[in-house]
Amino acid sequence: MNTIIEPFRIKSVEPIRQTTSEEREIYLEKAGYNLFLIDARNILIDLLTDSGTNAMSTEQWAAMMRGDESYAGSESFFRMERVVRDLTGLKHVIPTHQGRAAERILFTVLCRKGHVVPNNTHFDTTRANIEFTGARAVDLPIAGAADTQARLDFKGNMDVAALERLIESEGAQNIPLVMLTVTNNSGGGQPVSMENIAAVKRVTTQHGIPFYLDACRFAENAWFIGQREAGFAGFTPKQIAQKMFSYADGCTFSAKKDAFANIGGLLCTNDDRVAVLETNLLILTEGFPTYGGLAGRDLEAIAVGLEEVLHPDYLRYRIASTGYLGRHIADHGVPIVEPPGGHAIYIDAARMLPQVPKHQFPAQALAVELYRHAGIRSVEIGSVMFGAHAQHELLRLAIPRRVYTQSHIDYVVEAILEVNQQRDRIRGLAIESEPPSLRHFSARFRRL
Ligand code: F0G
């Protein structure tokens, strides 16, 4: 059977609102052509992010009623900690209110001016939090990632030879940690192979550098390994995920992705000394170590979500559904980052809109047009987000977990194909105002 069916039925529904393209034209103007500044009630299908937008299960909602809201020593924390330790094998489990809080604490403890932090590709908040400490964030994707059309099984991998050269030139003492983002979000939601994880671990061990996973989408990455990497066919996603984590000395994690939660994050480490410094900072700004900025009920939702996300029926559907969107637009001429990734499809806007130069933000212009045409919100991952660090001009269509049905996806396909037919008419944008960092969240544009 080829029909993709959602491996769940729907018990509670949330209406979404139709608007006209004339209305959306007004909303766009008011928002300075920045989709972050459009009210969610004016969006029909929201593919801005897969972060915190998950639909929770009956089991998660049930667990939330069990939330122990004790300030210290909450039973919900210990339940969550058991699940995380079983999955990651990591010794210290520090809850945070979301992924970037874990990043801020980690980098504040480990990084300073003169340091360099390599990653396959840093995500926006990761890069910004590293730079905020005065350290430098360096992306080391494999060469194949430069070609959006290359169909590589593990296009999210790090260039291990480049990592060795970087350690040589910077000195191991100036590299406080090496990170791998699984899956590689800024690089197209592409997976990282177990072989690459092991190779990075070998290099870091050789130089005495801690190795961290940015594990936001660990389950999707594990599924790809099971499907594509030799030697993993018979393993469960959980076994594969456990093996991925077994190489890591620590991890940051946003529970807003592969834990099916709406909020939450984790910082884990095997280093006792680092854990003490991190916990001290945690208490200062997030909260006591058994809640870290979260309610007990959030910890319960995370504990259940971390187990549900590894269910093969879910992961099979998840990756098939994303792939369906990708194939159906790509096979009709829309250039996407090939092959389709895990949580999102990325349109190569520079390729789709050759008339719009990079400095006129082709992916932002495409995001605006897709919203104007069909009420679909997506996000630019290109020069607006990363400035000179952008490798590509991508429009990301991120799919919230368990939220939209196959017919929603069909609507998105139809809308994109219609926009593609009129792509010659799309013009670029100019920035009117921008904040000093993470400008994509609040910059305002005008149409050219
Ligand atoms: N690392 C990666 C790879 C991410 O994709 C994100 C968030 C974070 C860290 C930070 O986690 O949001 O909980 O603070 N990515 C979201 C996105 C926002 O849309 O891709 P957070």
Side-chain angles (χ1 to χ4, degrees):
M1 299 282 276
N2 286 323
T3 307
I4 298 171
I5 65 161
E6 292 78 14
F8 48 81
R9 54 187 181 179
I10 297 165
K11 176 174 287 190
S12 176
V13 298
E14 197 181 359
I16 52 177
R17 205 170 74 92
Q18 294 276 2
T19 52
T20 64
S21 58
E22 291 75 24
E23 287 169 334
R24 293 193 291 272
E25 194 63 74
I26 295 167
Y27 304 145
L28 278 168
E29 204 177 316
K30 279 195 186 143
Y33 302 94
N34 183 339
L35 301 190
F36 281 103
L37 304 181
I38 292 195
D39 295 349
R41 66 186 294 274
N42 298 327
I43 308 283
L44 182 64
I45 296 192
D46 204 346
L47 308 184
L48 182 72
T49 179
D50 63 321
S51 181
T53 51
N54 304 305
M56 292 208 298
S57 66
T58 47
E59 289 302 322
Q60 282 179 296
W61 284 111
M64 284 179 85
M65 283 306 293
R66 201 172 53 199
D68 174 355
E69 306 301 343
S70 304
Y71 189 97
S74 157
E75 189 50 35
S76 300
F77 171 74
F78 295 118
R79 241 189 305 273
M80 194 268 311
E81 187 188 45
R82 275 196 294 278
V83 173
V84 175
R85 282 216 184 119
D86 175 45
L87 175 65
T88 67
L90 293 164
K91 188 170 168 191
H92 301 280
V93 178
I94 299 172
T96 60
H97 79 272
Q98 63 182 85
R100 71 198 67 180
E103 292 167 2
R104 185 189 61 81
I105 291 171
L106 173 67
F107 301 140
T108 304
V109 167
L110 293 185
C111 301
R112 56 180 163 71
K113 200 167 159 36
H115 280 171
V116 175
V117 181
N119 200 324
N120 44 356
T121 313
H122 292 277
F123 196 61
D124 60 350
T125 57
T126 323
R127 169 174 288 282
N129 272 297
I130 289 168
E131 291 172 349
F132 195 71
T133 69
R136 209 150 46 84
V138 176
D139 294 339
L140 302 175
I142 52 167
D147 176 5
T148 58
Q149 303 310 295
R151 296 193 187 191
L152 307 177
D153 280 347
F154 292 102
K155 214 175 176 179
N157 281 356
M158 178 181 273
D159 182 338
V160 180
L163 174 65
E164 287 181 302
R165 287 195 298 275
L166 185 83
I167 295 172
E168 178 96 358
S169 65
E170 298 291 336
Q173 73 283 2
N174 291 320
I175 302 184
L177 76 162
V178 172
M179 295 190 89
L180 263 185
T181 304
V182 294
T183 57
N184 186 342
N185 186 10
S186 316
Q190 300 291 328
V192 176
S193 69
M194 194 73 82
E195 190 185 7
N196 194 247
I197 294 173
V200 172
K201 171 66 177 175
R202 264 196 306 279
V203 172
T204 55
T205 304
Q206 204 181 337
H207 294 278
I209 302 170
F211 168 48
Y212 276 65
L213 288 177
D214 177 341
C216 294
R217 300 175 180 87
F218 74 96
E220 292 169 4
N221 200 89
W223 181 258
F224 280 117
I225 289 176
Q227 296 297 302
R228 295 180 182 174
E229 191 162 353
F232 289 98
F235 288 79
T236 64
K238 181 171 176 183
Q239 289 169 323
I240 296 172
Q242 284 171 323
K243 189 162 173 63
M244 286 164 54
F245 281 111
S246 73
Y247 290 105
D249 301 305
C251 74
T252 55
F253 178 66
S254 168
K256 302 173 75 171
K257 283 86 169 173
D258 272 354
F260 289 134
N262 299 122
I263 195 70
L266 293 170
L267 174 55
C268 302
T269 176
N270 277 335
D271 186 322
D272 297 340
R273 190 188 61 87
V274 165
V276 169
L277 298 172
E278 288 172 346
T279 305
N280 290 343
L281 262 186
L282 185 85
I283 294 172
L284 192 64
T285 57
E286 288 278 301
F288 191 75
T290 57
Y291 73 87
L294 295 171
R297 53 181 171 269
D298 299 324
L299 300 170
E300 293 282 352
I302 294 167
V304 175
L306 280 174
E307 296 196 319
E308 285 181 356
V309 77
L310 288 162
H311 199 291
D313 287 350
Y314 163 72
L315 285 169
R316 185 177 304 109
Y317 140 79
R318 170 74 171 162
I319 302 305
S321 177
T322 305
Y324 174 98
L325 170 58
R327 282 274 58 82
H328 277 73
I329 61 173
D331 292 349
H332 289 88
V334 177
I336 64 166
V337 173
E338 294 280 7
H343 67 296
I345 292 300
Y346 298 66
I347 297 175
D348 183 344
R351 209 175 249 269
M352 180 169 164
L353 308 177
Q355 75 274 22
V356 182
K358 198 177 157 101
H359 66 273
Q360 294 177 7
F361 311 118
Q364 185 71 21
L366 185 57
V368 166
E369 181 53 24
L370 186 59
Y371 173 70
R372 195 201 59 77
H373 182 72
I376 298 167
R377 176 155 68 176
S378 52
V379 73
E380 193 259 16
I381 298 201
S383 293
V384 177
M385 187 178 277
F386 288 117
H389 295 291
Q391 189 177 28
H392 300 296
E393 303 300 322
L394 304 177
L395 179 77
R396 186 184 72 173
L397 307 153
I399 323 243
R401 293 170 186 75
R402 304 192 294 206
V403 170
Y404 292 115
T405 63
Q406 199 52 27
S407 56
H408 290 120
I409 299 289
D410 281 329
Y411 173 87
V412 174
V413 168
E414 189 179 347
I416 292 170
L417 295 182
E418 285 176 6
V419 168
N420 189 45
Q421 275 178 348
Q422 308 191 7
R423 64 184 179 276
D424 297 347
R425 293 205 217 143
I426 299 175
R427 297 284 163 268
L429 299 163
I431 290 190
E432 277 203 335
S433 63
E434 58 180 302
S437 78
L438 293 170
R439 67 177 176 177
H440 48 293
F441 292 126
S442 54
R444 297 183 69 87
F445 302 83
R446 68 186 155 78
R447 277 195 171 127
L448 291 167

